[in-house]
């Protein structure tokens, strides 16, 4: 039969593991979203930003928006677009 101290330590360890499992289950969707963020092609980025093709092309050409160029293809990371939108929102509300 284990001593009271050993019993408390085992119980404490089990509680810690259960809490860790619960937290990970709760955080997993957010972590996966950040790790495997959406990457949009040109048409998807237009839909996401609700702008026309020509407007997005102008923004890319002028370096107004974050993008990734892979040879001739242009892609947009959702996280980068969200940060860009937040910055635009903050600058328009303070200006």
């Amino acid at each position: 039969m284990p001593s009271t101290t050993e019993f408390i330590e085992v119980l404490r360890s089990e509680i810690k593991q259960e809490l860790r499992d619960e937290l990970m289950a709760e955080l997993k969707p957010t972590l996966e979203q950040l790790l495997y963020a959406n990457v949009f092609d040109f048409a998807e980025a237009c839909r996401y930003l609700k702008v026309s093709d020509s407007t997005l092309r102008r923004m890319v050409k002028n370096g107004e928006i974050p993008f990734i160029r892979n040879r001739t293809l242009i892609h947009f990371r959702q996280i980068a677009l969200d940060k860009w939108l937040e910055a635009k929102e903050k600058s328009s509300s303070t200006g």
Side-chain angles (χ1 to χ4, degrees), residues 16-50:
K16 276 177 64 175
Q17 185 61 45
E18 286 179 25
L19 283 172
R20 192 175 296 128
D21 293 345
E22 283 182 38
L23 282 171
M24 285 306 296
E26 199 171 313
L27 292 173
K28 189 176 180 180
T30 304
L31 293 173
E32 285 181 352
Q33 181 183 9
L34 293 173
L35 287 173
Y36 307 108
N38 290 333
V39 176
F40 299 141
D41 63 20
F42 216 87
E44 291 167 330
C46 286
R47 281 193 302 274
Y48 186 72
L49 296 171
K50 296 180 178 28

Side-chain angles (χ1 to χ4, degrees), residues 2-90:
S3 70
T4 304
T5 306
E6 291 171 335
F7 176 74
I8 290 172
E9 191 56 39
V10 168
L11 190 59
R12 182 177 170 267
S13 177
E14 288 177 5
I15 291 171
K16 276 177 64 175
Q17 185 61 45
E18 286 179 25
L19 283 172
R20 192 175 296 128
D21 293 345
E22 283 182 38
L23 282 171
M24 285 306 296
E26 199 171 313
L27 292 173
K28 189 176 180 180
T30 304
L31 293 173
E32 285 181 352
Q33 181 183 9
L34 293 173
L35 287 173
Y36 307 108
N38 290 333
V39 176
F40 299 141
D41 63 20
F42 216 87
E44 291 167 330
C46 286
R47 281 193 302 274
Y48 186 72
L49 296 171
K50 296 180 178 28
V51 296
S52 68
D53 183 89
S54 60
T55 297
L56 189 56
R57 288 190 188 284
R58 178 188 47 78
M59 294 165 81
V60 166
K61 181 181 175 186
N62 295 338
E64 298 173 26
I65 193 163
F67 65 93
I68 303 161
R69 185 180 301 274
N70 184 4
R71 296 183 185 187
T72 59
L73 300 175
I74 294 175
H75 291 95
F76 304 86
R77 288 181 50 226
Q78 182 179 357
I79 291 174
L81 294 178
D82 290 341
K83 287 180 183 177
W84 177 79
L85 286 169
E86 266 186 51
K88 296 287 281 182
E89 186 177 55
K90 286 179 184 175

